[in-house]
Amino acid sequence: MSYEVHTVSRWKTIKNIFQFLDNPIPLINETIKEVGHPSYRVHLGGINRSLMTQDPQVIQHVLQKNHKNYHKSKIQTEGLAKYAGYGLITTDGDYWLRQRRLIQPGFHKKKLQSIVALMNDEILKHIAHLKQTVGTAGTTVDITREMVNLTLKVVSRSLFSVSITEDQLEILSYAVMTSQVAVIKDIRQPMFKWWRKLTGEQKVYDESVRKGREVLLDIIETRKASVEKHDDLLDMLLASRYEDTGEAMNSTQVLDEILIIFAAGHETTANALTWTLYLLDQHPDILLRLQQEVRDTEIPDQPGYEDIARLAYGKQVISESMRVYPPAWITDRIALQDDEVNGIKIYKGEIIGIYIYGAHHSEDLWDNPAVVDPERFTPERQKDIPAFAYFPFGGGPRLCIGQQFAWTEMQLALYHLIKHFDFQLAAGQEVELEPLITLRPKHGMDMTITARDQ
Ligand code: HEM
């Protein structure tokens, strides 16, 4: 027996449109509370039916158990692909599967081992630079920007080792930044597309992406012509061969995959670190315990996974931070055929909004979800978390390919940041969510950073 979940009236959807465009999170939370159910329907644009859900069983069904019936929506496969190209995040079906099979081994823990030292090296360089900038008297810095700079350097070093110049990196990061803005505008203000064209705004976005792609192609072609071995992700992508044909990807495919990895691989991690530093500022008891772990743990210059594994409390803290502030706060799928899960009918062509933030804050799934508590993620207690109540990296076959990469980077970065600095939220800093593609702090995050005298 299937049943219909509550559908928000068209009138209400139109009435709330501006609030939705500004910050959808409070509106989705209120609606779920009002309807008293973890799933509800809206009519997007007044025509398309869509289901918003934070129900772990529905989510597991869509992402994992019956994933073949669900593709990514056009927001990702067309909207995002228009700027980021056709890589793992923006493709579906057979093409995606073939690419995933090709690229997956390169992100295997063992393969990443050679990148851990590169990461650590890059983080230490950034720490030295930050120390010089802030000094021991304390300087107020926007941590959001600082973390983006740090993660940008780490991902670009892991991808290209030394084969990218500062200028090239700047062009590439500008391209990624502007394309994010462009995607969000296309999604949230589709009615003003003509205006963006007329004013030349669209041209700025298109031009920056064109230049970013030019830089990447240049790096790829240079590397292809070289015989030197670099042991970075670019070498891995160029060396990988399709199982069926034994052929390599062409340069455009490599370029598209790199652009996607570059875009997906730094802002998410930067947001997670920013929110973690904020939580530590708000919870001195957690900070004290973390500082103790950092003092007790020596990380060598060439760390291995076994060194990182010793930062167990740091991992719990980051886990809790990503529960409270999931960097990827929502994702979506579209149903290829009619389906049913837990008695809820799902219609062909319907968009499913998979509300990661909602599941992470659900009173049905967590004790006191508003309380920040890294103890939820001790090895003993973690086992009790229901499937898909906590999934910052998604789930099913499209689980984040960079999960291991991100964990290694975040744990190392947090370790060095806590070891070398004290952080304090700047007086008057307003903290508000800005859910764009990733969940950012709306007003940045000014913090006074003080280098420890050592
Ligand atoms: C804290 C950091 C990160 C978070 C929270 C995160 C989150 C996610 C999520 C939720 C998905 C699945 C989206 C969906 O199913 O619709 C995803 C996919 C993906 N992520 Fe991450 N990610 C992070 C870091 C990274 C890093 C460091 C990289 C690369 C170096 C990366 C590369 C990718 C790629 C390529 C995909 C697409 C996988 C596929 O569809 O086959 N991510 N990520």
Side-chain angles (χ1 to χ4, degrees), residues 63 72 76 88-89 96 100 107 155 233 260-261 264-266 268-269 272 322 327-328 331-333 356 391-395 397-403 405-406 409-410:
L63 290 185
K72 293 209 161 179
Q76 297 192 55
L88 278 184
I89 288 189
W96 165 79
R100 177 92 191 199
F107 280 87
V155 79
L233 288 174
I260 291 278
I261 291 169
H266 78 279
T268 38
T269 326
M322 288 199 294
T331 186
D332 71 25
R333 293 294 188 267
I356 302 176
F391 57 114
F393 293 99
R398 302 203 68 149
L399 177 77
C400 175
I401 204 168
Q403 184 176 358
F405 183 112
E409 176 182 6
M410 291 189 294

Side-chain angles (χ1 to χ4, degrees), residues 64-78:
Q64 192 179 55
K65 290 188 174 164
N66 198 22
H67 68 91
K68 286 206 171 122
N69 189 44
Y70 297 91
H71 274 185
K72 293 209 161 179
S73 81
K74 283 188 179 167
I75 295 172
Q76 297 192 55
T77 54
E78 288 179 13

